[in-house]
Amino acid sequence: MFLYTKDAPKGDLRKTYGETLIELGRKDPKLCVVDGDLSTSTKTAMFGKEFPERFFNVGIDEQNLIGIASGLAYDKDRTVFASSFAMFLTGRPWEIIRQHVGYNDLPVKLVATHAGITVGPDGASHQMNEDIAIMRAIPNMKVIVPADNHILKKILYKAYETPGAFYIRLSREKFPVVYPEDVEFELGRGFILKEGKDITIVAIGLMVSHALDAASILKENYGIDAEVIDPVSVKPIDGELIAQSAQKTGKVVTIEEHSIIGGLGDAVISALAEKYPVLVKKIGIPDTYGESGTAIELLRKFELMPEQLAGNIYKWLNSSK
Amino acid sequence: MNPTKSIEELKELARKVRIETIKSIYLAGSGHPGGSLSITDILVALYFGGYVNVDPQNPYKPDRDRVILSKGHAAPSFYAVLALKGFFDKELLYTLRKLGSPLQGHVSRKHTPGVEASTGSLGQGLSIALGMALKRRLDNLDYKVFCLLSDGELQEGMTWEAIMTAKHFNAKGLIAIIDNNNIQLDDFVTKVNSGIYPIEDKFKASGWHTITIDGHDFSQILKALDEAVKISEEKPVAIRAITVKGKGVSYMENTPAWHGKAPDREKFIEAMKELGVSDKEIEEFLTKYDR
Ligand SMILES: Cc1ncc(C[n+]2csc(CCOP(=O)(O)OP(=O)(O)O)c2C)c(N)n1
């Protein structure tokens, strides 16, 4: 059922976002979109072109952006998609998200683009590695990280159909296609993308394809049979699926293009601690800031490329025997 | 105060800064030419017109004047000015945005001598500048704090919080310069959110002194800075500099599309020619540095 191969074609998540917004906008004449002077980058401009009266590009004022989105959504009879870069959508207006979108569980679907270090040359000021942590901490907020454009489309429909607050995290880069177009997405249900018996790898976003490549390398180079899981939704997380896998393999590695503090790794550890505690290795951005560089150079610097992942997982397996 | 230069000399320096700005963005393959070119003449006037008292050999001397580049994406022209001023080797300009370079995509105090505050997230600089102006009083110093803002940053609430607070705390030596090119990322400011206007009235109502100038006319810039330096000892000063985004490269001028992208080779050569770089120099540069 899963398409992924080493030379899988790449899909443009932001373009899928723009196209899906137009579909949803045609279906639902009440749906609104709010952006903060990044609509050409986030692709909400595509919606704005077709539905100018329901599109609000409010300028460079992200707190105001979230306030306006909340005001549009308070009666809960309009779904609002709100977008900017991950840094500016979640960082600057965090408290306003918490007080309105979260506290009142408003139908505001926060869709951030340009998350993580793959933003590249813009540097640390734009590399948001802490968004999952701060969004997870808000009660009612669902946190979803698509691994490709196919599942993104299903996530956007699900977020639209499901009442309440969502945070959906996209990147600037195109991602290799992992899922078939007709993939089914259910909130809080993950996928086993590759079965294995020696170790469980849980990954999200771009790291899903990297984890699958790393699993192939682990098999070829070291004879290690890894199971690869994409939980898709970090909150709620599919703890059942991960715990079952941990029972089988006995060890878990998490991989995310996000800080190792407060992100996928900690969500997995919390779930396992209650169900089936095992040793867990968190792989991601260490407790530091990024810097300018190309996406690939930075992925390499932080040892998130498949060969590096495989090597480090192998080392950890040996050292933690 | 540093020795001042003639207007002709400043114009020539500004031309050099524009050349280095486009060269570094071209080699980086990304960056923000539009807003770097619109602020160039102001930067040159500040650093070479005798207004910013800094020592490149001792960049963080306590009594230095501060320049906060609140619009941190104008890093390329800021770096070019710092290099010409002697803060670091000009060669470094060609490592802009590359892995390991001290010249980050958005200015970073951690990385680059001469940078006062790490910016890139818009709308934060004026509060930082205000904090530095308040520190001046505590430290018994008399430095100036120049804050360079974009017009887009006037949409951020935090900018207005600083405007309001500066008067209340009676900040001295604080000078805000607004690069009013009327273009932001998606479109013209008047199309996206025109609510920033009228700029002068808003500052005035908050107790600031305001000056309005053509931000590419050196005689106006110098006159405004003279006035600002004097009056800022009584109350905070805002200079609204009316500018042209992309100034100096015709195909970039007043065009939102050139906010945040690098020219390709052909467009790069076109820009160099317009800025007066000879065919031979262009050829030599490309042979030496191009990817
Ligand atoms: C808080 C924040 N929101 C959004 C952005 C993304 N962004 C970078 S530049 C820019 C617009 C630039 O326009 P303006 O601020 O007027 O600068 P200038 O025209 O002088 O280049 C935007 C929205 C950002 N850097 N920071």
Side-chain angles (χ1 to χ4, degrees):
Chain A
M1 109 155 238
F2 302 108
L3 289 181
Y4 185 75
T5 60
K6 220 169 154 3
D7 345 272
K10 288 193 174 176
D12 187 334
L13 279 77
R14 289 184 281 143
K15 187 162 150 262
T16 298
Y17 176 44
E19 288 166 356
T20 311
L21 276 182
I22 292 176
E23 283 180 24
L24 290 170
R26 286 182 187 152
K27 219 169 86 127
D28 177 356
K30 291 179 119 182
L31 184 129
C32 297
V33 177
V34 189
D35 199 296
D37 193 32
L38 285 164
S39 69
T40 36
S41 299
T42 63
K43 302 297 177 208
T44 61
M46 292 164 71
F47 178 94
K49 211 166 158 208
E50 184 154 338
F51 306 106
E53 71 293 345
R54 288 188 273 145
F55 175 66
F56 302 93
N57 187 353
V58 298
I60 314 167
D61 43 2
E62 294 77 10
Q63 302 176 72
N64 195 29
L65 189 167
I66 298 297
I68 290 170
S70 302
L72 288 164
Y74 246 114
D75 285 346
K76 303 198 178 181
D77 57 359
R78 280 183 188 270
T79 300
V80 181
F81 281 79
S83 288
S84 179
F85 289 0
M87 183 64 76
F88 313 126
L89 189 71
T90 68
R92 190 69 143 264
W94 183 85
E95 192 222 340
I96 302 149
I97 297 174
R98 189 261 183 203
Q99 305 292 17
H100 301 280
V101 181
Y103 185 33
N104 301 283
D105 204 11
L106 302 181
V108 174
K109 320 298 173 180
L110 303 164
V111 181
T113 66
H114 295 63
I117 48 159
T118 49
V119 166
D122 274 343
S125 62
H126 286 54
Q127 291 162 359
M128 186 37 138
N129 299 322
E130 303 89 19
D131 53 329
I132 298 177
I134 61 176
M135 286 294 111
R136 261 182 82 217
I138 296 177
N140 287 330
M141 187 65 70
K142 276 77 71 189
V143 179
I144 321 284
V145 187
D148 76 0
N149 55 320
H150 288 160
I151 198 150
L152 169 61
K153 183 158 182 174
K154 299 305 176 83
I155 291 167
L156 292 168
Y157 268 89
K158 184 65 76 184
Y160 169 72
E161 289 156 9
T162 312
F166 272 79
Y167 177 60
I168 300 167
R169 182 194 215 229
L170 315 183
S171 304
R172 175 171 179 255
E173 291 289 291
K174 292 182 177 145
F175 288 2
V177 174
V178 173
Y179 293 102
E181 241 179 296
D182 61 354
V183 60
E184 302 269 342
F185 169 69
E186 259 178 67
L187 196 58
R189 220 201 68 207
F191 296 95
I192 297 179
L193 297 180
K194 176 193 169 300
E195 293 196 4
K197 57 179 179 9
D198 298 332
I199 184 167
T200 301
I201 303 177
V202 185
I204 49 169
L206 178 62
M207 290 301 113
V208 171
S209 56
H210 286 217
L212 288 165
D213 287 342
S216 307
I217 298 168
L218 280 169
K219 183 84 192 172
E220 273 165 39
N221 293 8
Y222 311 107
I224 291 165
D225 186 15
E227 179 143 302
V228 179
I229 292 178
D230 175 9
V232 189
S233 118
V234 178
K235 186 188 168 192
I237 195 155
D238 195 343
E240 214 51 61
L241 185 78
I242 297 165
Q244 274 168 21
S245 178
Q247 275 183 38
K248 182 166 66 172
T249 64
K251 269 178 191 173
V252 175
V253 172
T254 61
I255 314 178
E256 60 199 306
E257 188 199 335
H258 179 275
S259 169
I260 52 166
I261 297 175
L264 170 74
D266 283 354
V268 167
I269 287 174
S270 300
L272 285 173
E274 286 185 1
K275 295 180 202 300
Y276 193 82
V278 295
L279 285 181
V280 179
K281 166 83 177 158
K282 291 192 285 186
I283 297 179
I285 310 298
D287 188 14
T288 186
Y289 294 90
E291 64 173 298
S292 291
T294 64
I296 291 286
E297 283 168 346
L298 291 164
L299 288 170
R300 201 165 285 132
K301 178 186 156 92
F302 288 107
E303 306 193 349
L304 293 173
M305 294 302 282
E307 324 77 61
Q308 296 171 306
L309 292 170
N312 287 337
I313 290 170
Y314 176 68
K315 254 188 258 161
W316 177 67
L317 270 179
N318 278 343
S319 68
S320 63
K321 256 182 191 138
Chain B
M1 281 270 159
N2 298 329
T4 49
K5 293 205 169 1
S6 73
I7 285 184
E8 281 320 303
E9 286 171 309
L10 293 176
K11 277 191 187 160
E12 177 55 18
L13 278 164
R15 186 181 73 91
K16 284 201 177 120
V17 169
R18 288 193 163 90
I19 292 167
E20 296 308 326
T21 297
I22 299 301
K23 280 182 176 172
S24 61
I25 292 174
Y26 170 67
L27 291 182
S30 66
H32 299 85
S36 297
L37 294 175
S38 61
I39 194 92
T40 296
D41 298 316
I42 291 161
L43 281 169
V44 167
L46 278 172
Y47 279 88
F48 295 99
Y51 297 97
V52 181
N53 181 15
V54 282
D55 176 5
Q57 254 49 63
N58 190 359
Y60 297 107
K61 233 171 53 184
D63 64 348
R64 73 196 180 279
D65 292 326
R66 273 77 165 160
V67 177
I68 314 300
L69 186 70
S70 188
K71 42 171 285 181
H73 58 277
S77 57
F78 189 60
Y79 293 149
V81 166
L82 291 181
L84 291 183
K85 191 82 187 166
F87 278 91
F88 47 80
D89 189 347
K90 204 183 99 185
E91 285 290 306
L92 275 181
L93 295 175
Y94 310 141
T95 67
L96 174 71
R97 292 180 156 246
K98 302 255 162 75
L99 188 71
S101 169
L103 304 189
Q104 296 292 294
H106 293 80
V107 300
S108 162
R109 175 141 173 188
K110 277 173 33 158
H111 289 83
T112 316
V115 169
E116 296 288 347
S118 305
T119 57
S121 182
L122 294 168
Q124 303 179 4
L126 195 56
S127 295
I128 311 281
L130 174 55
M132 291 179 177
L134 297 178
K135 179 177 188 283
R136 163 187 131 145
R137 186 151 65 208
L138 299 176
D139 292 354
N140 273 318
L141 295 168
D142 64 353
Y143 59 74
K144 297 276 177 287
V145 186
F146 298 94
C147 183
L148 307 183
L149 299 146
S150 64
D151 44 19
E153 286 187 286
L154 297 182
Q155 292 163 348
E156 285 285 1
M158 188 171 167
T159 303
W160 296 100
E161 293 169 26
I163 293 169
M164 166 183 82
T165 312
K167 180 64 181 15
H168 178 75
F169 284 101
N170 209 6
K172 297 274 191 313
L174 180 61
I175 298 164
I177 304 175
I178 298 122
D179 179 5
N180 188 196
N181 59 37
N182 197 40
I183 293 179
Q184 48 192 105
L185 189 144
D186 276 334
D187 211 330
F188 291 90
V189 173
T190 25
K191 288 221 181 114
V192 176
N193 189 344
S194 59
I196 67 160
Y197 296 109
I199 295 172
E200 294 88 337
D201 289 357
K202 292 183 174 167
F203 274 91
K204 275 198 194 112
S206 304
W208 288 56
H209 178 76
T210 67
I211 307 168
T212 308
I213 56 164
D214 172 345
H216 302 301
D217 178 335
F218 276 107
S219 65
Q220 290 191 40
I221 302 174
L222 301 182
K223 205 168 138 251
L225 289 173
D226 285 338
E227 182 180 331
V229 164
K230 223 181 294 143
I231 295 181
S232 70
E233 294 306 319
E234 286 158 41
K235 49 171 156 173
V237 179
I239 300 174
R240 174 183 170 214
I242 298 167
T243 58
V244 176
K245 197 149 172 171
K247 177 76 178 176
V249 178
S250 326
Y251 65 81
M252 290 184 180
E253 284 187 2
N254 209 25
T255 311
W258 283 100
H259 162 71
K261 70 172 178 191
D264 61 17
R265 195 176 165 103
E266 196 183 312
K267 286 278 169 203
F268 168 73
I269 293 171
E270 195 181 325
M272 287 300 103
K273 285 189 173 160
E274 185 175 353
L275 290 166
V277 185
S278 73
D279 289 351
K280 185 163 161 275
E281 284 170 296
I282 298 172
E283 192 50 48
E284 277 169 10
F285 175 80
L286 288 173
T287 315
K288 184 155 178 211
Y289 297 103
D290 207 6
R291 300 147 281 180

